[in-house]
Amino acid sequence: MSQVSTEPAYGDSDIAAIGSLVADRARCRILLALGDGRALPASRLASEAGVSPATASSHLRKLTDATLLTVETHGRHRYYRLAGPDVGGLIEALQQGAPPTPVRSLKQDTKARALREARTCYDHLAGRLGVALMAVMLDRGYLTGGDGQYDVDRTAGDHRAGYGHEVDYTLTAAGQEFLAEFGVQIPPKRRLIRYCVDWSEQRHHLSGALGRGLLDRLIELGWVRRSGGSRAVKITESGQAGLDEAFGISA
């Protein structure tokens, strides 16, 4: 006689649980502030969300309980970050489906343009710079397997934003040689190559360990610089020259 399983049974995914979390504007601002993969203190996140520390603490507890965020304690301070790259992909996907915020000031227009020019998507580059870097690596034969284009007819399993799954990109020997010469350090224990469909460009940008290593190297060289209160990254003066020389990208 077979034994009855004591393991809990589960049905379909509870999308409504996530929907209720992101239905609050303050929680959305917290998620967006953490979208570049950094860990930020609760006080900073309260400021980003425009709420009191007590209200922010309640929001952070809900996001942590839902496993969208993780928390690290350093002395008397608690730092929060996205629970992983899949959460970053979720934020990108939600941005694609959400209506754009009306631009009512020069400051808002500048910020919106900066996000589309170059930004972080969790821990890798996105926007025009992100897709341009991937295009160069494909054109030069550093990557093979696809053309960097999002085509809903050919890759029906991919969405208009977030991680893609339909294209199998491979790093070539020439690509390995270039990355070594350029000084890119690949983080261990992660899938080497993944890609996202970029929500603003509707093309592929690099993610995975290679995407993270490339962003780290550009920051190390001083070619790009993170913005204080945004996922936008600034291409520096030396970065404009360096990107042109190394990749043929005119920023």
Side-chain angles (χ1 to χ4, degrees), residues 157-177:
D158 288 351
H159 302 289
R160 291 187 179 277
Y163 283 120
H165 308 279
E166 297 287 280
V167 182
D168 187 17
Y169 288 106
T170 301
L171 182 66
T172 66
Q176 294 175 0
E177 182 179 353

Side-chain angles (χ1 to χ4, degrees), residues 194-213:
R194 296 188 71 177
Y195 71 95
C196 294
V197 179
D198 195 281
W199 65 263
S200 63
E201 300 302 302
Q202 290 298 282
R203 294 176 59 190
H204 297 168
H205 66 242
L206 271 174
S207 55
L210 179 53
R212 168 63 185 273

Side-chain angles (χ1 to χ4, degrees), residues 22-113:
V22 299
D24 184 274
R25 290 187 182 278
R27 286 197 287 270
C28 286
R29 293 190 188 103
I30 288 172
L31 291 171
L32 287 170
L34 295 170
D36 61 1
R38 288 182 292 179
L40 295 175
S43 58
R44 166 72 180 278
L45 293 171
S47 176
E48 290 284 344
V51 297
S52 69
T55 300
S57 178
S58 174
H59 288 317
L60 289 166
R61 183 170 60 253
K62 291 177 180 178
L63 292 169
T64 303
D65 289 345
T67 68
L68 293 180
L69 301 183
T70 59
V71 59
E72 307 164 1
T73 302
H74 297 280
R76 296 184 296 110
H77 300 285
R78 293 163 67 83
Y79 288 78
Y80 294 84
R81 69 167 72 244
L82 297 186
D86 287 340
V87 182
L90 171 64
I91 294 172
E92 287 275 307
L94 289 172
Q95 285 185 291
Q96 168 63 24
T101 303
V103 173
R104 298 190 174 95
S105 68
L106 177 60
K107 181 178 180 181
Q108 290 178 330
D109 181 67
T110 300
K111 183 177 181 179
R113 291 177 183 274

